[in-house]
Structure formats: structure tokens, C-alpha cells
Amino acid sequence: MNGLSAGALCRLLALGTGTLVLVLAQLVVRRVLPERAGTLPRRFHRFACFCLGVRRKVEGTPPPRGSGALVVANHVSWLDICVIGAEREISFVAKSEVAGWPVIGFLADLQRTVYIDRQRRRATAGVAAAMGERIAAGEEVVLFAEGTTGDGTRILPFRSSLLGAAHQAIGDSEADVTVYPLTITYTGRRGLPGGRIERSALAWYGDTELAPHLKYVLACGAVDVELVWGAPITMGRATSRKEATRLAEGVVRMARREAVTGRPAE
């Protein structure tokens, strides 16, 4: 990319080379050791964060491994995938258009992404069933509940429809499903806190194109991001999906406010 420093170009080259190596390895692992298919994606995301200069700070308690959980998060950028994926062996829910994107769609398939066609009214039920099966099998699934990316500062209203996956996981049993709120905030660059302008520049929303945004991230040198796990919400017999969505949104809004202002919300 024109205009990048020599260091940024080296990091981009390393990212491309490492991606190729890990993709080939993942294709082999999925065929030979499918039960270990979640290991290499996590390593890839950690490597991507390293190459892109993304520095993660994690607070709160994530789901116990193997317990099965629906992770409900806000959405800021394509970087969110790497940031969350570097911390957990996890799969994501994405719009169906992602499957057709060059390179990205292929990588999403390798991570067993669940796709939803937002143009089909009945698509939500099928996605919910797929999510429910994975949760019931002890896997973690990330749902970006806003339905799109935000500007890095505001939290958009959460949608409750896809939380029906929890009900699919329950089936006819008496078990509940645990929802874990997760807040993603890009707090600054190179250790210095950023304001609204910096957060908006790091967000990937509206008509922002991927290549210029990738160039900007590489030029930053170091990007600081904070992940905050909220207290789990039990959804099922006592709490409906709409109530669970409202509670999760409230937790995420509070954590975002604390991350942006630097002081606890009252």
C-alpha cells in the first residue's frame, strides 16, 4: 500500500505470509483432527493482532471453557473478530454477504461462521437452530447484537430476534442458557487515550472501505482495545430473550461509558 512506512509494510507482508501458512495448516487439521479445529484460528487472530499492533486489555470473567455460551457483544470494526478470536476458541454470526467476500469469506468459513440472510424472513429461525446446537454442545457463539457496526462511541439498540438461539439450545429440557455480555472499546493509540475523533477513525462503519481502513490501522503503529466481560445473564425459564437482550444492552452501555470516560458509571 502506498504511503506506508517500511515497518508497516513489513508487518503487512508478515501478516499475509503467516495467513497463508496457517490457512494451509487449518485445512489439514479440519480434515485430520476436526476436534482441534478451533486451535489454529485463535493462533491466527493472535498473530494478526501482533502484526496489526492491536494491544488487548481484558477485564471481567469470560465463560468457563466447554460450558456453552451465547456471547452478546457490540460491534465496532472488522478488528473485533481478531480481538475476540485471539482470546477465545469461538465462532461468529455474520450476514450472508460475508460468505461471498474475497479472502474474508474463505477465512470466515474456516472458523465455522454461522451466516444469516437478512433478506429472508425465515432465515432467523434456521440460524437460531444452528447457534443453539453449538451452544448445547458446549461451544461459544458470538452475536453482534446491534446488527451492524457502530461509530466507536455510541451503542446502537440491541436486537432480540437472534437470542432465540438460546431457546433452541434449551429444547424440551429444564436447562437455562447463559448469555455473556461483552463490550469492545478502542480506547486509543500507542498507550495514549483517544477521544471521539480517534474512536471514530478506528471504527469501520457506514461506507468506509476496507483497504483504506487497514492502511490506517497499520499506520497507527499500536491500537489499544479494551474487552470487558459483564456478569452472566441466565435466560430461559425466568428471563425471556427480550428481557435478556435489554439487560445485556444495559451492561454493555455501562461498560462503554466507563471505558470512554475513565470513571465508573453511577
Side-chain angles (χ1 to χ4, degrees), residues 75 93-98 101 115-124 127 144-149 159 161-162:
H75 199 9
V93 178
K95 59 185 180 180
S96 58
E97 292 88 338
V98 172
W101 291 357
Y115 298 109
I116 178 170
D117 185 349
R118 294 183 294 187
Q119 303 301 318
R120 294 174 54 204
R121 184 170 297 180
R122 296 182 179 179
T124 299
V127 173
F144 293 117
E146 294 164 294
T148 186
T149 50
R159 302 179 179 182
S161 58
L162 284 179

Side-chain angles (χ1 to χ4, degrees), residues 181-221:
L182 178 62
T183 309
I184 307 167
T185 306
Y186 293 86
T187 55
R189 298 180 298 173
R190 305 188 183 200
L192 298 175
R196 182 182 293 271
I197 294 176
E198 288 80 8
R199 288 193 296 273
S200 294
L202 287 169
W204 188 53
Y205 69 107
D207 297 326
T208 306
E209 295 183 1
L210 179 57
H213 194 265
L214 173 59
K215 181 179 178 180
Y216 175 77
V217 171
L218 286 165
C220 285

Side-chain angles (χ1 to χ4, degrees), residues 17-144:
T17 303
T19 298
L20 178 60
V21 171
L22 289 172
V23 162
L24 294 175
Q26 176 71 348
L27 290 172
V28 173
V29 169
R30 286 188 61 176
R31 179 176 293 272
V32 179
L33 295 170
E35 68 278 4
R36 301 295 302 276
T39 301
L40 282 180
R42 187 181 181 193
R43 292 183 179 178
F44 165 75
H45 291 307
R46 288 189 169 188
F47 178 70
C49 285
F50 173 78
C51 291
L52 296 172
V54 179
R55 305 186 299 190
R56 309 179 308 279
K57 176 184 177 183
V58 183
E59 297 184 357
T61 304
R65 298 193 185 282
S67 62
L70 181 62
V71 178
V72 177
N74 63 301
H75 199 9
V76 183
S77 168
W78 55 271
L79 281 171
D80 300 347
I81 307 298
C82 294
V83 170
I84 301 174
E87 295 296 325
R88 311 290 294 177
E89 292 185 10
I90 211 159
S91 57
F92 296 86
V93 178
K95 59 185 180 180
S96 58
E97 292 88 338
V98 172
W101 291 357
V103 182
I104 293 177
F106 177 67
L107 294 176
D109 287 341
L110 287 180
Q111 190 149 1
R112 299 173 64 236
T113 296
V114 179
Y115 298 109
I116 178 170
D117 185 349
R118 294 183 294 187
Q119 303 301 318
R120 294 174 54 204
R121 184 170 297 180
R122 296 182 179 179
T124 299
V127 173
M131 292 170 65
E133 289 176 2
R134 296 192 185 186
I135 294 169
E139 300 182 31
E140 297 170 29
V141 180
V142 175
L143 169 64
F144 293 117

